[in-house]
């Protein structure tokens, strides 16, 4: 176990696992390393066990459901269950948020995910640690009408529904002065480092979520997935405070990494942990005109902020 004065959290995002013979190549030529899915999962579990983490947090898109990948529904369900079963072999508890690719292909139904991970549709969860309150904000709260209107019934953008906004407000109001860390799949604030931003990366009603954060205070950082890149920025989030807005890297493409977050009474420390899968990682890095930018700035690979 980690030092009792600290809590170590593994943040994993966008694994997109699907054991298939060929990589998935996106429209821009970007390559994802699905043929190494089982090896990725083995290495991840080995590393998390060796790191003796206290909690694993998956930010969504465990596999390749939703619309764009055209994964057969039976393979999707089997893969979702397989990932769940393998992650449960860890001694640390594992929490997971739904992403848009955790929905059943063809109809956008998240019920398989909800059943496995014990979620009420559209609602997240709250975890209290000695150092901070963690709020898992569910950004897959789309209405049936939003799902039906989306291309291939896959709303890529996020949506925090009314009930989840109320739960979020209550969780912040009752934090009793504890620092709060928020985890979500889609993104609340566009990055500011010059790389293109598309609206489908974001939570469509982010202004409502940010309004709750500004009104209640207490949030120190927001950890987000979905965009397959590392980015860390500090932005004003309340009248008297800035928050860290972090975007976590994908496991399925360069830099093929997870983030180790260590919490003490006064500080959060984020360290980028690359999986030792060099050749497939370089295939991804060299695809589509070059993907090395996805690893972010060196200053973000070992990043600290006060709690």
């Amino acid at each position: 176990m980690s030092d009792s004065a600290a809590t170590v959290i593994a943040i994993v995002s966008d694994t997109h696992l699907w054991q298939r013979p060929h990589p998935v190549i996106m429209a821009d030529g970007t390559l994802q390393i699905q043929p190494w899915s089982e090896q990725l999962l083995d290495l991840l579990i080995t590393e998390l066990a060796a790191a003796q983490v206290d909690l694993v947090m998956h930010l969504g898109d465990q596999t390749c459901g939703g619309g764009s990948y055209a994964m057969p529904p039976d393979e999707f369900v089997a893969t979702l269950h397989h990932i769940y079963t393998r992650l449960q072999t860890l001694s640390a508890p594992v929490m997971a948020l739904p992403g848009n690719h955790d929905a059943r292909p063809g109809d956008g139904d998240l019920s398989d995910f909800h059943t496995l991970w014990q979620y009420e549709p559209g609602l997240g969860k709250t975890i209290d640690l000695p150092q901070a309150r963690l709020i898992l904000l569910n950004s897959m709260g789309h209405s049936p009408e939003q799902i039906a209107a989306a291309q291939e019934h896959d709303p890529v953008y996020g949506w925090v529904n009314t009930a989840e906004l109320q739960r979020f407000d209550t969780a912040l109001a009752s934090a009793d002065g504890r620092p709060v860390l928020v985890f979500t799949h889609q993104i609340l604030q566009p990055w500011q480092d010059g790389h293109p931003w598309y609206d489908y990366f974001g939570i469509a009603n982010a202004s409502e979520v940010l309004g709750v954060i500004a009104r209640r205070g207490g949030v120190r950082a927001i950890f987000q997935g979905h965009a397959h890149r590392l980015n860390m920025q500090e932005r004003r989030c309340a009248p008297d405070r800035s928050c860290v807005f972090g975007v976590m890297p994908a496991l399925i493409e360069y830099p093929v990494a997870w983030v180790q977050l260590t919490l003490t009474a006064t500080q959060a420390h984020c360290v980028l942990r690359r999986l030792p899968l060099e050749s497939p990682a370089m295939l991804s890095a060299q695809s589509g005109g070059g993907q090395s930018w996805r690893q972010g700035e060196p200053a973000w690979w070992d990043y600290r902020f006060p709690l």
Side-chain angles (χ1 to χ4, degrees), residues 32 39-40 69 124 177 187-188 191 203 208 212 214 221 256 261 269:
Q32 298 180 1
Q39 193 173 352
L40 279 169
Y69 286 94
I187 296 171
L188 281 170
W191 45 76
I203 295 172
E208 296 181 72
V212 174
V256 190
L261 169 63
H269 182 197

Side-chain angles (χ1 to χ4, degrees), residues 135 148 155 255:
I135 301 177

Side-chain angles (χ1 to χ4, degrees), residues 222-266:
I222 300 98
F223 295 97
Q224 308 146 114
H226 191 49
H228 295 204
R229 59 159 308 179
L230 178 65
N231 181 267
M232 305 294 283
Q233 61 177 333
E234 293 191 30
R235 300 279 299 276
R236 181 72 63 183
C237 64
D240 61 343
R241 178 176 292 125
S242 293
C243 298
V244 173
F245 289 84
V247 182
M248 301 292 99
L251 204 74
I252 198 60
E253 61 183 307
Y254 194 78
V256 190
W258 56 282
V259 171
Q260 181 173 307
L261 169 63
T262 302
L263 304 178
T264 66
T266 59

Side-chain angles (χ1 to χ4, degrees), residues 99-281:
N100 53 299
H101 290 293
D102 295 318
R104 193 161 51 223
D107 60 14
D109 188 348
L110 279 162
S111 60
D112 297 296
F113 179 94
H114 293 156
T115 299
L116 269 180
W117 291 96
Q118 299 178 26
Y119 270 87
E120 292 294 325
L123 297 181
K125 299 180 180 180
T126 299
I127 303 168
D128 283 325
L129 300 176
Q131 301 84 8
R133 168 165 283 190
L134 313 184
I135 301 177
L136 285 71
L137 184 69
N138 192 328
S139 57
M140 289 300 297
H142 305 82
S143 68
E145 292 76 20
Q146 288 172 312
I147 294 170
Q151 184 177 1
E152 299 177 289
H153 305 297
D154 179 7
V156 180
Y157 67 90
W159 185 263
V160 179
N161 66 27
T162 301
E164 179 68 338
L165 279 170
Q166 181 58 56
R167 189 191 71 84
F168 185 53
D169 184 89
T170 301
L172 289 181
S174 61
D176 296 327
R178 284 172 291 180
V180 176
L181 305 179
V182 179
F183 299 81
T184 188
H185 181 65
Q186 286 94 346
I187 296 171
L188 281 170
Q189 284 275 22
W191 45 76
Q192 304 291 317
D193 64 357
H195 289 285
W197 166 268
Y198 302 102
D199 286 345
Y200 59 72
F201 287 135
I203 295 172
N205 59 336
S207 61
E208 296 181 72
V209 179
L210 292 169
V212 174
I213 291 173
R215 184 172 68 254
R216 293 298 186 186
V219 174
R220 300 294 195 269
I222 300 98
F223 295 97
Q224 308 146 114
H226 191 49
H228 295 204
R229 59 159 308 179
L230 178 65
N231 181 267
M232 305 294 283
Q233 61 177 333
E234 293 191 30
R235 300 279 299 276
R236 181 72 63 183
C237 64
D240 61 343
R241 178 176 292 125
S242 293
C243 298
V244 173
F245 289 84
V247 182
M248 301 292 99
L251 204 74
I252 198 60
E253 61 183 307
Y254 194 78
V256 190
W258 56 282
V259 171
Q260 181 173 307
L261 169 63
T262 302
L263 304 178
T264 66
T266 59
Q267 181 180 251
H269 182 197
C270 303
V271 178
L272 185 70
R273 300 295 191 195
R274 301 171 193 258
L275 290 187
L277 202 64
E278 189 64 25
S279 180

Side-chain angles (χ1 to χ4, degrees), residues 1-69:
M1 292 295 292
S2 61
D3 185 337
S4 60
T7 298
V8 180
I9 302 170
I11 307 177
V12 181
S13 194
D14 295 271
T15 47
H16 288 283
L17 300 178
W18 178 12
Q19 191 63 54
R20 49 177 271 155
H22 306 293
V24 170
I25 301 176
M26 311 306 284
D28 63 356
T30 303
L31 180 149
Q32 298 180 1
I33 58 172
Q34 275 81 10
W36 291 270
S37 286
E38 202 60 38
Q39 193 173 352
L40 279 169
L41 189 55
D42 286 343
L43 286 170
L44 176 65
I45 289 172
T46 298
E47 283 209 355
L48 298 184
Q52 296 184 301
V53 300
D54 300 301
L55 176 67
V56 179
M57 190 78 73
H58 196 301
L59 299 187
D61 285 358
Q62 294 180 26
T63 180
C64 296
S68 59
Y69 286 94

Side-chain angles (χ1 to χ4, degrees), residues 59-81:
L59 299 187
D61 285 358
Q62 294 180 26
T63 180
C64 296
S68 59
Y69 286 94
M71 187 180 194
D74 58 339
E75 291 186 43
F76 163 75
V77 173
T79 302
L80 196 67
H81 281 257

